[in-house]
């Protein structure tokens, strides 16, 4: 629990009771109560699969206050579509990363309504870094960078381990070193310190790391595929939401 909401004020609607719902119940949350309990809800968070939201929202509509803010974590479903489905209620879209579950994530937010945006921030800021987007279209780019990004770092880590094996390290040792290096690199990213400063701290001029870095991005060798990957993810996200 993050402190964003008192568990006693939390209502969870779920087809199947999961351990997390049980944990919330133990702290005072109500699980699948009669739907008239929703009348006082200030925010209604919807996190079902995008194909299911219209069906899932149908039973709750009559019970929600007209002022309830709809908080959608669904990928690709536009604000206007959700608002229409929720009979004109204001909507904030949030794209959280999986790390939010460990209190280590980041969430991008968009709403055309200031009050709805503030509701989204009040819910997510206690458990994640937040980034407010200036247009809804940027949700695709935010998803491509932060939603997909962990997979890119994992793929890089695997390539780093394989490169270590190519240089003679036993596979298990190379994998242990690469994974632990991913964790320690992440631990070094605190505050707003520039990435160039972090790089300089590891790479002294003319040294070992510097020799590797020169090859890593020779003629844009690193920048090009990263740009291509993010562009491909943006295109896919746009296609799926259309
Ligand atoms: N996975 C990610 O990294 C990520 C990141 C950002 C946003 N999202 C978005 O988050 C949403 C969920 O994605 P997911 O990968 O977590 O899918 P998921 O594991 O299938 O979760 C969907 C959840 O919706 C519940 N559900 C289904 N019908 C419902 C209903 N009528 N009322 C209440 N709950 C209902 C399901 O419960 P049962 O299991 O009991 O059926 C399940 O817990 C999607 O919209 C996705 O776009 C996902």
């Amino acid at each position: 629990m993050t402190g964003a909401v008192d568990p006693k004020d939390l209502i969870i609607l779920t087809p199947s009771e999961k351990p997390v719902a049980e944990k919330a119940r133990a702290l005072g949350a109500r699980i699948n109560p009669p739907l008239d309990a929703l009348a006082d809800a200030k925010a209604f968070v919807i996190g079902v699969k995008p194909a299911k939201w219209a069906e899932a929202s149908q039973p709750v509509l009559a019970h929600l206050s007209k002022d309830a803010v709809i908080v959608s974590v669904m990928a690709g479903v536009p604000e206007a579509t959700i608002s229409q489905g929720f009979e004109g209620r204001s909507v904030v879209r949030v794209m959280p990363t999986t790390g939010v579950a460990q209190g280590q994530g980041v969430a991008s937010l968009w709403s055309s309504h200031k009050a709805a945006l503030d509701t989204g921030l009040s819910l997510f800021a206690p458990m994640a870094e937040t980034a407010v987007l200036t247009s809804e279209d940027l949700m695709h780019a935010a998803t491509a960078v932060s939603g997909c990004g962990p997979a890119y770092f994992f793929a890089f880590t695997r390539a780093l381990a394989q490169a270590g094996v190519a240089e003679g390290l036993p596979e298990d040792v190379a994998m242990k070193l690469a994974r632990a290096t991913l964790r320690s690199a992440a631990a070094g990213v605190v505050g707003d310190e520039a990435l160039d400063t972090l790089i300089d701290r590891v790479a002294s001029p003319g040294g070992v790391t510097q020799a590797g870095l020169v090859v890593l991005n020779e003629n844009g060798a690193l920048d090009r595929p990263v740009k291509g990957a993010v562009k491909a993810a943006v295109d896919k996200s746009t296609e799926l939401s259309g």
Side-chain angles (χ1 to χ4, degrees):
M1 294 294 147
T2 62
V5 177
D6 183 338
K8 292 186 189 64
D9 292 333
L10 199 59
I11 295 171
I12 298 177
L13 304 179
T14 174
S16 58
E17 292 209 7
K18 302 175 180 66
V20 66
E22 271 313 310
K23 219 167 153 184
R25 191 203 296 279
L27 294 168
R30 285 167 285 170
I31 316 296
N32 292 327
L35 290 180
D36 38 357
L38 293 175
D40 296 331
K42 293 189 174 54
F44 180 77
V45 181
I46 183 154
V48 299
K49 291 279 190 202
K52 277 197 167 179
W53 76 271
E55 175 201 330
S57 61
Q58 212 52 41
V60 304
L61 271 180
H63 301 278
L64 280 178
S65 142
K66 287 284 174 212
D67 298 331
V69 172
I70 311 303
V71 182
S72 165
V73 300
M74 296 183 292
V77 190
E79 178 192 11
T81 308
I82 302 167
S83 180
Q84 196 176 19
F86 278 89
E87 300 174 333
R89 289 174 179 85
S90 58
V91 174
V92 54
R93 288 185 59 193
V94 184
M95 178 50 60
T97 60
T98 47
V100 168
Q102 290 88 41
Q104 297 277 329
V106 57
S108 303
L109 292 94
W110 158 257
S111 178
S112 60
H113 292 260
K114 167 87 173 73
L117 184 64
D118 287 345
T119 299
L121 285 169
S122 70
L123 288 174
F124 279 84
M127 58 178 147
E129 286 199 48
T130 54
V132 174
L133 304 179
T134 51
S135 93
E136 185 165 19
D137 265 357
L138 289 175
M139 269 289 174
H140 299 299
T143 302
V145 170
S146 70
C148 310
Y152 302 153
F153 284 111
F154 300 148
F156 184 89
T157 304
R158 186 178 55 202
L160 185 61
Q162 284 162 357
V165 171
E167 293 301 324
L169 287 172
E171 204 166 325
D172 59 333
V173 173
M175 190 52 78
K176 182 190 265 188
L177 291 177
R179 289 172 67 107
T181 302
L182 175 69
R183 280 193 289 269
S184 55
V189 186
V190 282
D192 292 332
E193 209 165 18
L195 291 174
D196 283 342
T197 308
L198 297 178
I199 291 172
D200 288 350
R201 200 166 290 148
V202 184
S204 35
V208 176
T209 307
Q210 188 67 39
L213 282 172
V214 166
V215 173
L216 194 62
N217 203 22
E218 206 161 30
N219 300 319
L222 178 63
D223 294 343
R224 216 172 309 108
V226 172
K227 271 187 191 156
V230 169
K231 170 88 172 68
V234 167
D235 290 348
K236 190 70 180 177
S237 171
T238 307
E239 176 197 322
L240 290 178
S241 69

